[in-house]
């Protein structure tokens, strides 16, 4: 973070967010950005990622900074770089210039936040500074800053969602309600992330026919993200083993008859994420079995998006996807029975064992650092039902939310070879028929969708989902 | 880490390392691999990087594992994945299979390491387990595992090099002496990392003439690293502002008259690093001023490599680079005076303010987690002298060490505009003459060099350093 562009739309957006927050809480708020985490030694760190709550109100990925929000006012706490750091890291902006860039009314060094020391020189369980006294906060991810939060706030700052309490819980709920509904500034960033992710997927498709291992396709995709000055919002999944849902391996050879599943999303410099999955045939041509199952997943994807509008329960979208997939598998002769019965018995979850999606924003699973506080409407908890317990979002949709829609079909050995499940569903699944679809290990189709006043806008619509268009991109 | 290739050369190498360690210490040793660090929420982590000390003796990047070394025996502690994890992460190897792959004689779950609890159910300051009692260890980087080390070992495990003491210090010194001299297995990995890094630099050169911002060149380089199943050993530096030594920005437009400095290195899957810097003309053609200064840096680079052999003091290589650069700047009319006087007065450090290199191995600055314990011969400490205080290595070379040689020339505003320094060197620097070289902001040339019995082998020699060859690669 060396250069500062004066950006009045950022300043205005941040001010509007602060003013909204001030209508929701009547106590001061302190948000830490965090520090970079060491990789193998202290000076060799992972790239710095600021806390998303900080980014939402501060706009810039400032390392080791704190903001204080009270009654719409913004106060910045950050130390200026040492003169020696100019040699290694170049000239860095002055504290006051950073403050001006984010619309802060005042700015101080971090030492202002320190509590008084007691007569023995200890700085714990003594008087907090006037800046931190009575302020709510949210625990950051990195341990070093989290330990600082304990000292500065003179109390435990819990990161475990189940333990957040008091004004910290009130603050978390207020932030959830704000971050849930995206403003124009956020949407602009989400659209930028989507555009770069789309280009990355197209590059991956185009690179496939010359590639021999998964890593080469991943590399072609991430190249686009890096070239556009963005980072990956999460560890890319680029694999011919799509049945491993969070596959983080890239060494498999790709065969000409394989499907390749790529779940890759970019994140803008200020932290806004995209999350796209496409599945394509390595050869550029889907087999007839691959085509059949792909179209089942696509039908579920399209049905969910068509059903999106304010007031709709996201859980109902999940069940709509389940029904659509079950119906498709009945049509293909893989399942037998009535669709409603099949879904009631969770048979679809044999092949679609995860939720249909999640909220998206500054985090790819937005606000998941707060557990299910954002994903689940107050009073609701995760279901015990197979296939529903991985549902990350269970609340009615509102205009301004961005959700992913990502149904899938997978042949997971750990599920399909499980003797208990095979016994339970022996009358429903035609295993011989299923065996004819052995060239499909995993298919997922995922888009990012903005809930609008009247329905839905697919932010990632510029990347096709239909087989013919995908085949063309792979063959291009 | 899903697939395990049975690799007898790995097993043999690990055994030889253990047996050597057993000749150096007479107490048991516990080494933790560490856990992945969360990025913006717990489930969204940075890629896992195992502790280098663990990797040296365990060979595989096992997450959340511990090894115990005693008398040449290897005991592995690791938990097996839960059945549910197969859905998300695929089938993972069994504990006994992992143990067999690294030559461990026995393997247990992590709970074996836990101390006895006291009557109140507390597990601190009670009796350590028989596995951990009396064992030395080294603190890992991630905070969560570090806290575990405290519990398991029932004492503070210091990560601050200045505070490591007792058997932990003995262990650190023993490991330094082992890791300092690379065995054949390590050299094979270092050569692989070098080959991929060379390909990355060639790709960066070839991508330059079509690029408009630094990020595009970085992307072309990192694509090669990712495609080969490796990671970046450190944050890439790819910049037209080479005067910022650790520049981590990539947004600058590249001008046709600029030099581009790229310091990019790959790391193999088992952690072995490479570290290469090249500087090239964006247009494919160096200007005459760029050419003159490049050849000064190259002369220093070549002189240092030619001087490498066992017994030579690395600090003397640094001073040789300093003299070569000073002599070159006298020839160009930028400095006036006798070379020895200039170096005695640290004038070269105005333009070459860092050390000439460092040791390389599992870490790009090898074993820097131990402070200067590895870099500095016992009894030596960092110099206060400008230009020498950033020297990371000060010990006599031994056959089997791998060091970088990376002289440079930079016009750092923070140094050259400093009124004190301008006054101090007013009789030595011809500022008007220097101004004629304004199209050179930063040049560095860095190779990885193995010290052999008779001299040196440049592991990165397949990437040219001469201007003509580099110009050809950029124009290709």
């Amino acid at each position: 973070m060396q250069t500062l562009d004066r950006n009045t739309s950022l300043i205005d957006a941040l001010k509007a967010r602060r003013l909204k927050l001030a209508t929701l809480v009547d106590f001061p708020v302190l948000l830490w950005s965090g520090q970079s985490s060491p990789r193998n030694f202290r000076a060799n760190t992972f790239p710095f990622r600021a806390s998303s709550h900080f980014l939402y109100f501060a706009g810039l990925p400032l390392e080791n900074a704190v903001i204080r929000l009270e009654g719409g006012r913004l106060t910045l706490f950050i130390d200026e770089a040492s003169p020696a750091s100019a040699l290694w890291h170049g000239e860095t902006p002055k504290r006051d210039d950073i403050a001006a860039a984010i619309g802060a009314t005042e700015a101080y060094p971090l030492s202002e936040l320190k509590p008084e020391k007691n007569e023995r020189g200890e700085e714990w369980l003594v008087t907090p500074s006037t800046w931190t006294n009575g302020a709510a906060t949210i625990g950051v991810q990195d341990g070093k800053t989290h330990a600082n939060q304990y000292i500065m706030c003179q109390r435990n700052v819990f990161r475990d969602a189940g333990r957040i309490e008091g004004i910290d819980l009130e603050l978390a709920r207020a932030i959830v309600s704000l971050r849930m509904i995206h403003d124009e500034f956020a949407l602009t960033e989400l659209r930028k992330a989507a555009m770069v992710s789309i280009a990355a997927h197209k590059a991956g498709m185009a690179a496939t026919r010359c590639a021999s291992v998964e890593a080469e396709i991943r590399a072609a995709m991430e190249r686009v993200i890096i070239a556009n000055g963005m980072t990956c919002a999460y560890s890319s999944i680029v694999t011919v083993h799509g049945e491993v849902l969070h596959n983080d391996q890239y060494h498999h050879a790709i065969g000409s008859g394989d499907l390749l599943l790529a779940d890759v999303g970019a994140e803008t410099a200020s932290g806004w994420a995209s999350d796209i999955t496409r599945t394509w045939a390595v050869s550029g041509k889907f087999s007839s079995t691959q085509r059949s199952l792909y179209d089942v997943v696509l039908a579920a994807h399209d049905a969910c998006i068509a059903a999106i509008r304010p007031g709709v329960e996201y859980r109902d979208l999940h069940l709509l996807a389940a029904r659509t997939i079950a119906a498709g598998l009945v049509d293909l002769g893989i399942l037998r029975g009535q669709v409603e019965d099949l879904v009631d018995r969770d048979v679809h979850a044999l092949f679609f064992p995860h939720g249909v999606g999640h909220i998206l924003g500054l985090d790819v699973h937005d606000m998941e650092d707060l557990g299910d506080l954002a994903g689940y409407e107050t009073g609701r908890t995760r279901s015990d039902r197979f296939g529903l317990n991985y549902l990350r979002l269970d609340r009615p949709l509102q205009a301004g939310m961005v959700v992913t829609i990502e149904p899938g079909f997978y042949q997971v050995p750990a599920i399909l070879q499980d003797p208990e499940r095979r016994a339970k569903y022996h009358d429903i699944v035609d295993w011989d028929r299923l065996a004819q679809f052995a060239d499909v290990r995993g298919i997922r189709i995922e888009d990012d969708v903005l809930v609008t006043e009247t329905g839905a806008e697919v932010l990632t619509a510029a990347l096709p989902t239909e087989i013919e268009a995908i085949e063309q991109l792979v063959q291009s």
Side-chain angles (χ1 to χ4, degrees), chain A:
Chain A
M1 224 298 303
Q2 316 292 106
T3 49
L4 286 179
D5 301 326
R6 183 86 184 188
N7 182 336
T8 53
S9 67
L10 171 67
I11 292 174
D12 292 345
L14 297 178
K15 187 176 180 186
R17 291 172 188 171
R18 290 199 300 276
L19 290 171
K20 276 191 195 155
L21 180 68
T23 67
L24 297 174
V25 301
D26 58 2
F27 42 76
V29 171
L30 282 172
L31 294 173
W32 272 258
S33 68
Q35 295 171 68
S36 45
S37 300
R39 195 170 172 270
N40 42 344
F41 54 94
R42 204 188 297 172
N44 199 27
T45 62
F46 292 108
F48 174 63
R49 174 48 156 82
S51 146
S52 294
H53 303 298
F54 177 92
L55 283 171
Y56 189 75
F57 292 103
L60 297 178
L62 305 167
E63 188 162 354
N64 203 12
V66 185
I67 52 171
R68 186 177 191 273
L69 308 164
E70 188 175 25
R73 284 171 65 87
L74 171 62
T75 310
L76 172 69
F77 301 87
I78 192 169
D79 287 340
E80 294 192 337
S82 69
S85 104
L87 170 60
W88 298 92
H89 303 288
E91 297 292 338
T92 44
K94 296 289 171 202
R95 180 186 299 117
D96 287 342
D97 295 334
I98 300 171
I102 63 174
T105 44
E106 41 190 0
Y108 302 97
L110 285 169
S111 57
E112 276 284 311
L113 293 174
K114 283 201 172 175
E116 302 294 315
K117 291 186 181 178
N118 67 13
E119 63 277 8
R120 288 190 302 281
E122 297 159 347
E123 58 180 15
W124 52 89
L125 298 180
V126 291
T127 316
S129 87
T130 52
W131 295 111
T132 59
N133 201 10
T137 192
I138 294 179
V140 298
Q141 297 295 310
D142 79 277
K144 205 166 162 186
T145 306
H146 187 242
N148 276 343
Q149 290 183 295
Y150 172 82
I151 296 287
M152 304 290 189
C153 295
Q154 296 286 298
R155 60 187 169 84
N156 270 321
V157 173
F158 292 110
R159 286 181 291 193
D160 181 345
R163 298 177 75 182
I164 301 174
E165 56 182 26
I167 55 173
D168 293 343
L169 184 59
E170 272 188 72
L171 170 62
R173 289 195 197 285
I175 289 182
V176 164
S177 73
L178 288 178
R179 286 180 53 187
M180 187 71 68
I181 309 301
H182 294 298
D183 55 29
E184 274 309 312
F185 197 85
L187 287 173
T188 302
E189 290 284 308
L190 289 167
R191 285 181 214 278
K192 279 188 217 164
M195 286 307 109
V196 169
S197 305
I198 289 168
H201 278 261
K202 289 183 176 173
M205 292 175 191
T208 298
R209 291 207 301 171
C210 297
S212 54
V213 295
E214 297 160 343
E216 293 168 54
I217 301 170
R218 175 192 177 201
M221 300 180 77
E222 295 191 1
R223 176 188 184 161
V224 173
I225 293 172
I226 298 168
N228 281 280
M230 297 195 183
T231 55
C232 293
Y234 51 93
S235 292
S236 301
I237 301 169
V238 182
T239 184
V240 291
H241 286 284
E243 79 279 11
V244 178
L245 299 185
H246 282 181
N247 207 332
D248 59 356
Q249 302 194 288
Y250 315 99
H251 66 275
H252 301 107
I254 57 179
S256 61
D258 286 333
L259 290 178
L260 189 117
L261 185 154
D263 186 345
V264 175
E267 178 180 295
T268 67
S270 56
W272 296 88
S274 179
D275 186 0
I276 301 181
T277 309
R278 288 293 184 272
T279 307
W280 59 85
V282 165
S283 66
K285 206 74 197 159
F286 285 72
S287 74
S288 66
T289 42
Q290 291 167 344
R291 180 175 286 264
S292 301
L293 284 168
Y294 186 95
D295 280 338
V296 169
V297 177
L298 184 58
H301 166 275
D302 292 351
C304 288
I305 291 175
I308 288 179
R309 67 184 58 83
V312 167
E313 288 285 349
Y314 190 80
R315 182 193 171 98
D316 289 340
L317 295 181
H318 177 78
L319 293 170
L320 173 58
R323 284 196 307 275
T324 311
I325 289 168
L329 298 181
V330 169
D331 288 347
L332 292 175
I334 294 172
L335 296 182
R336 301 184 199 97
Q338 296 300 312
V339 166
E340 292 294 336
D341 293 345
L342 295 174
V343 171
D344 284 348
R345 290 182 62 187
D346 297 324
V347 189
H348 63 279
L350 288 175
F351 306 101
F352 171 44
H354 61 73
V356 79
H358 48 79
I359 44 176
L360 179 76
L362 279 161
D363 307 304
V364 60
H365 297 162
D366 208 23
M367 300 180 269
E368 197 175 283
D369 66 309
L370 300 173
D372 281 338
L373 208 62
Y376 274 60
E377 182 84 350
T378 308
R380 298 185 190 176
T381 53
R382 296 237 181 179
S383 163
D384 289 336
R385 268 177 67 183
F386 176 50
L388 263 178
N389 49 356
Y390 289 123
L391 186 62
R392 296 178 193 274
L393 178 57
D394 184 7
R395 50 165 74 232
L397 296 176
Q398 297 171 260
M401 286 173 72
V402 172
V403 298
T404 67
I405 293 294
E406 49 176 313
F409 172 94
Y410 315 90
Q411 298 206 49
V412 183
I415 295 176
L416 298 181
Q417 303 303 325
D418 177 29
E420 267 185 51
R421 291 213 176 87
R422 286 184 84 99
K424 183 174 173 187
Y425 298 123
H426 76 277
D427 57 325
I428 294 175
V429 180
D430 184 336
W431 298 101
D432 293 333
R433 178 66 178 143
L434 180 63
Q436 295 170 2
F437 294 85
D439 68 348
V440 176
R441 287 191 288 255
I443 293 170
R444 182 162 63 250
I445 308 170
E446 176 180 26
D447 277 307
D448 304 341
V449 186
L450 169 67
V451 184
T452 65
E453 294 294 343
T454 54
E457 178 195 338
V458 181
L459 301 180
T460 47
L463 187 66
T465 52
E466 303 75 25
I467 285 179
E468 290 67 31
I470 287 179
E471 286 184 341
Q472 275 185 19
L473 286 168
V474 176
Q475 290 165 19
S476 68

